[in-house]
Amino acid sequence: MELRCDGVSAALGGADIVKEISMRASANAFVGIIGPNGSGKSTLLKCIYRVLKPSGGTIYLDDSPLGALSYKESARKMAVVAQHNYYNFDFTVREVVMMGRAPHKKQMERDNAEDVEIVSDALRQVDMEAYGDRIFSTLSGGEQQRIILARALAQRTRCLILDEPTNHLDVKYQLQLLSLVKRMELTVVTALHDLNMAAMYCDYIYVLKNGRLCGSGTPQDILRRDFLKEVFDVDVKIIRDAQSGMLHILYLPPRPDKTEA
């Protein structure tokens, strides 16, 4: 499945947050969106997964304008792992993951044996099967995020949107989550803060600053010292592993201001 944004804009509180962004995630590509805080990453993703309505432009799933699809139709094509997930009721972990089956069911249709097996498989994939009877709200932030990924996997879609999915995870589970998603050969669009994770997993990267697209390309094209200084206002050293060719970004502390006494 291909996902495409053509000139997408979005406004919040009268302010233009996303400004005429065009981007493309081809079938089975792992596409990252990076940029400083406030650059519009999450706002753009919210337009894609229909929490916000764009003020301009069009989003396509394959050749279908997203706005022409019902919410249920788009949920059968695209799953989401968002940053914040709150529930006011005491749902069990298994019940939360079972919510991922809703787009595939008719009104009032009961869960069947296939749904139960899909949910169990999703929990196995995120290494949380033993937590099925736990109350979701009692889990840690990192555990909750893995359950929300399991819910998305239970939707059995070909496109996955990840909105800063590793924020609450320790390093082991950051690597586990992104490696799992990468292996599944889905079309993935993800906002990431960690540039090393972007270097490790992304096939292609779009860079936002002040709501506008300011660069795009492969990790090798984008993750350059001069460009990262321009976008993030940080000094870095770029190291390329001789065997794997993978990029590693070392952050350098700010230099002391020579004008200070």
Side-chain angles (χ1 to χ4, degrees), residues 107-121:
Q107 189 174 9
M108 305 301 293
E109 183 180 353
R110 298 173 67 90
D111 302 328
N112 56 36
E114 181 184 14
D115 296 320
V116 172
E117 179 53 36
I118 288 172
V119 166
S120 295
D121 182 57

Side-chain angles (χ1 to χ4, degrees), residues 1 13 16 26-27 31 33 75 91 94 102 117 139-140 142 161 163 167 171-172 175 182 200-201 228 236-237 249-250:
M1 173 169 289
D16 294 327
S26 57
V31 173
I33 303 174
F91 293 113
R94 195 171 298 278
E117 179 53 36
L139 303 183
S140 70
I161 308 299
D163 191 351
N167 273 7
V171 173
K172 172 185 174 181
L175 295 168
K182 183 81 169 180
M200 191 179 303
Y201 290 100
L228 295 180
V236 301
K237 184 176 182 180
I249 300 164
L250 301 180

Side-chain angles (χ1 to χ4, degrees), residues 164-183:
E164 298 181 5
T166 59
N167 273 7
H168 304 293
L169 302 179
D170 62 34
V171 173
K172 172 185 174 181
Y173 290 114
Q174 290 182 38
L175 295 168
Q176 184 187 75
L177 184 150
L178 293 177
S179 294
L180 169 63
V181 172
K182 183 81 169 180
R183 288 196 304 271

Side-chain angles (χ1 to χ4, degrees), residues 79-231:
V80 180
V81 178
Q83 292 184 61
H84 306 294
N85 301 278
Y86 301 109
Y87 295 100
N88 295 324
F89 303 98
D90 288 335
F91 293 113
T92 68
V93 162
R94 195 171 298 278
E95 287 170 335
V96 170
V97 179
M98 187 63 75
M99 293 175 187
R101 300 304 301 152
H104 300 277
K105 307 182 79 64
K106 298 176 182 178
Q107 189 174 9
M108 305 301 293
E109 183 180 353
R110 298 173 67 90
D111 302 328
N112 56 36
E114 181 184 14
D115 296 320
V116 172
E117 179 53 36
I118 288 172
V119 166
S120 295
D121 182 57
L123 285 170
R124 280 194 294 270
Q125 289 183 78
V126 299
D127 197 24
M128 293 292 284
E129 190 176 18
Y131 289 70
D133 295 325
R134 287 275 300 274
I135 300 300
F136 179 82
S137 61
T138 67
L139 303 183
S140 70
E143 289 168 341
Q144 289 184 357
Q145 193 72 337
R146 290 157 65 195
I147 297 305
I148 297 304
L149 174 61
R151 183 185 67 183
L153 297 178
Q155 284 180 236
R156 295 288 175 96
T157 66
R158 296 304 306 160
C159 181
L160 186 59
I161 308 299
L162 307 175
D163 191 351
E164 298 181 5
T166 59
N167 273 7
H168 304 293
L169 302 179
D170 62 34
V171 173
K172 172 185 174 181
Y173 290 114
Q174 290 182 38
L175 295 168
Q176 184 187 75
L177 184 150
L178 293 177
S179 294
L180 169 63
V181 172
K182 183 81 169 180
R183 288 196 304 271
M184 297 189 73
E185 296 185 349
L186 303 172
T187 302
V188 177
V189 177
T190 180
L192 290 169
H193 267 306
D194 190 322
L195 300 183
N196 282 299
M197 292 294 178
M200 191 179 303
Y201 290 100
C202 292
D203 301 312
Y204 203 83
I205 295 173
Y206 290 90
V207 188
L208 303 188
K209 186 174 183 180
N210 298 324
R212 294 192 181 279
L213 183 65
C214 64
S216 64
T218 65
Q220 291 75 20
D221 294 333
I222 288 298
L223 300 177
R224 307 185 317 271
R225 181 179 182 181
D226 56 342
F227 185 64
L228 295 180
K229 173 66 175 177
E230 177 186 340
V231 173

Side-chain angles (χ1 to χ4, degrees), residues 2 9 28 38 55-56 62 76 118 170:
E2 179 180 277
S9 299
N28 300 339
S55 57
D62 286 333
R76 287 196 290 263
I118 288 172
D170 62 34

